[in-house]
């Protein structure tokens, strides 16, 4: 079983790395596709910069690290971070009570994953978040999700995004689209503003159907679905002009996005409270935001 | 005693209102003093707008309200919020265990106060926060503080700010400057960045020396001290030119300021978690901020 588990960790991290490469290549391609005459079309097309990071103590409680790929100040992408990580260690006494199987593993855990947030130049192009991960304690499971953040909702985009995710879930017996959609709506809700962060998507956690290969195939398809639908939505709106008022509203929506991530997002708060690399943990924050 | 307490509440709220009026008048005066030739000198001098707000249920657990005075898009002040409030109600079962005297009052409380945050146009002029408040449960006490947030520390400003606060504390036997300075440094620390938010000031809470009049005189003097030293610092740097690089750094420092307020600030998180008016609670957030 240990050997099988090691092989699964390797398969998962290989996939996360491969997905990262495909996403980065696709986004760099999109950077070259901005029609002339649009704002920022005179900027050079930008590429990702990669930077490896390590957790403080390889041997012990906070081992492992990751690679952050960032594209900044692009013509299409104002700021995108794609982080892959493979970390291991020991949860604190307090935290292990909150994580399935962590008491039984004496707090020992392993986690591998990919996470991505894209903030776009154009207020007409939606921002997005996507994340998938594999966690191992005495149990092991997958989690993840993706949610779309348009500045002004475009019903066709919302419908197409949800339809793509529904088709992905429906193709896998381990996945439950209605539950994952509802979970996403619940999770990405800015309670103090009494409003949703975006137009939803899917969110899932603790996925362990008993068929690891089937679960992993679903997680891979979530990544492939993202790689299919999000670039399509970007390309759909890439060439649209926008006004200063559109931009002002985009910056205000980004303020709400920052509020959600700093006040509520479990990954962000966990990362900050446990001494994670703040630049990696906070890569999700918008490049520019307003609270007018 | 009840009558005396009512009289004290009235004295405190009258003072907070009067301080608000003096601060607003001073800031509006400063708006007219920007020398020509500087960025934004062609904008009209701006004034405060006042807006009253009410908590949801006057009769019961969430009564009272306040008045938010905001100056936006000024020539000197990019965004300043000055809020006075007088609220009363009943703390939740859970929260009352954290507040002195709240168990004994069956959760009933009253609070009056003034709070202010100023974000400035010029990166050469420091931002500031100031707050004083009176709280009543079965006990009653004062709290408050002020901390200075320059974009790049100017040692003379820091020295003058701390000297003014020290003189204010030293004039009152109830106040303890070294303790309040240390408390401020501890409180306004961005742990995940391992850096201070600004250059400090004072922070105090649970001030009840047994001499209410003496304590109140100190709280009034903290307001007067603010009204003396902060406008002096603003006027000292008002006429200095700045570069795009100065402005970029200011916006980055404001990102850190937003991080502190959303992740750590007790007042902000308490306000958000207990259904406070988000526009009033989040008035402290910067008008424009970056996470590059």
């Amino acid at each position: 079983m240990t050997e099988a588990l090691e092989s699964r960790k390797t398969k998962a991290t290989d996939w996360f790395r491969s997905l990262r490469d495909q996403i980065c290549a696709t986004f760099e391609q999109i950077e070259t596709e901005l029609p002339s005459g649009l704002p920022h079309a005179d900027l050079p097309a930008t590429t990702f910069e990669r930077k490896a990071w390590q957790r403080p103590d390889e041997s012990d409680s906070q081992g492992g690290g990751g690679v952050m790929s960032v594209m900044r100040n692009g013509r299409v992408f104002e700021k995108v971070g794609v982080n892959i990580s493979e970390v291991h260690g020991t949860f604190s006494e307090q935290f292990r009570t909150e994580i399935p199987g962590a008491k039984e593993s004496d707090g020992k855990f392993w986690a591998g994953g990919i996470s991505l947030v894209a903030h776009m130049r154009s207020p007409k192009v939606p921002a997005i978040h996507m994340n998938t991960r594999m966690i191992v304690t005495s149990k092991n499971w997958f989690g993840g999700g993706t949610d779309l953040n348009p500045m002004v909702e475009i019903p066709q985009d919302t419908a197409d995004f949800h339809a793509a995710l529904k088709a992905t879930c429906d193709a896998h017996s381990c996945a439950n689209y209605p539950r994952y959609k509802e979970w996403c709506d619940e999770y990405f809700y800015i309670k103090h503003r009494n409003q949703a962060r975006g137009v939803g998507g899917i969110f899932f956690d603790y996925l362990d159907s008993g068929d690891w290969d089937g679960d992993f195939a679903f997680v891979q398809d979530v990544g492939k679905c993202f790689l299919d639908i999000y670039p399509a939505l970007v390309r759909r709106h890439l060439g649209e002009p926008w006004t200063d008022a559109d931009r002002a509203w985009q910056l205000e929506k980004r303020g709400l996005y920052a509020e959600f991530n700093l006040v509520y997002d479990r990954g962000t708060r966990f990362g900050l409270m446990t001494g994670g690399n703040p630049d990696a943990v906070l890569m999700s924050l918008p490049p520019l935001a307003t609270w007018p």
Side-chain angles (χ1 to χ4, degrees), chain A residues 3-19:
Chain A
E3 200 174 315
L5 190 59
E6 290 309 313
S7 155
R8 288 170 179 180
K9 291 178 182 174
T10 303
K11 279 184 191 169
T13 51
D14 284 351
W15 162 251
F16 296 137
R17 190 180 308 107
S18 158
L19 178 61

Side-chain angles (χ1 to χ4, degrees), chain A residues 33-35 38 122 124-125 234-242:
Chain A
E33 297 174 10
L34 188 67
L38 285 168
S122 167
K124 297 298 180 80
V125 179
V234 174
R235 288 179 168 121
R236 187 180 289 179
H237 299 290
L238 198 57
E240 297 172 12
W242 71 84

Side-chain angles (χ1 to χ4, degrees), chain A residues 22-232:
Chain A
Q22 293 174 71
I23 290 169
C24 289
T26 303
F27 284 9
E28 289 182 350
Q29 172 59 33
I30 292 174
E31 266 289 288
T32 70
E33 297 174 10
L34 188 67
S36 61
L38 285 168
H40 309 110
D42 55 333
L43 292 178
T46 301
T47 56
F48 279 92
E49 285 183 23
R50 288 191 183 169
K51 197 170 169 182
W53 54 270
Q54 291 290 321
R55 299 222 303 164
D57 185 351
E58 181 58 40
S59 62
D60 197 82
S61 61
Q62 297 189 65
V67 178
M68 174 62 79
S69 303
V70 186
M71 179 150 63
R72 285 187 171 89
N73 295 315
R75 313 155 87 202
V76 176
F77 295 91
E78 193 169 329
K79 180 179 164 192
V80 192
V82 191
N83 193 34
I84 57 167
S85 60
E86 184 180 353
V87 301
H88 59 267
T90 310
F91 290 131
S92 71
E93 290 281 348
Q94 196 200 327
F95 195 63
R96 71 184 65 167
T97 63
E98 300 174 26
I99 306 287
K103 228 174 85 180
E104 295 76 7
S105 72
D106 293 327
K108 294 217 181 329
F109 75 97
W110 177 94
I114 180 171
S115 68
L116 174 154
V117 171
H119 295 285
M120 311 304 288
R121 283 279 188 199
S122 167
K124 297 298 180 80
V125 179
I128 199 154
H129 145 265
M130 186 276 292
N131 159 246
T132 53
R133 57 191 176 271
M134 174 180 168
I135 313 277
V136 180
T137 56
S138 66
K139 302 176 187 281
N140 73 84
W141 68 91
F142 289 102
T146 176
D147 76 303
L148 193 69
N149 288 265
M151 303 307 123
V152 174
E153 183 172 359
I154 297 164
Q156 189 64 54
D157 290 356
T158 305
D160 292 349
F161 185 67
H162 285 293
L165 291 169
K166 180 174 189 304
T168 297
C169 291
D170 288 352
H172 294 270
S173 59
C174 64
N176 181 338
Y177 175 71
R179 173 76 192 108
Y180 294 174
K181 179 177 188 297
E182 191 186 332
W183 203 343
C184 185
D185 289 342
E186 283 166 14
Y187 185 80
F188 293 108
Y189 194 76
I190 309 174
K191 290 173 202 73
H192 62 268
R193 297 282 186 184
N194 202 24
Q195 65 180 267
R197 183 174 88 166
V199 298
I202 58 170
F203 186 101
F204 60 99
D205 209 351
Y206 316 118
L207 173 63
D208 177 16
S209 70
D211 169 17
W212 190 86
D213 290 321
D215 296 349
F216 181 48
F218 167 64
V219 167
Q220 288 175 290
D221 274 0
V222 169
K224 289 174 195 164
C225 174
F226 169 84
L227 198 50
D228 184 51
I229 186 66
Y230 184 62

Side-chain angles (χ1 to χ4, degrees), chain A residues 270-284:
Chain A
F270 174 69
L272 297 182
M273 297 305 175
T274 55
N277 176 337
D279 290 327
V281 174
L282 296 175
M283 188 47 62
S284 65

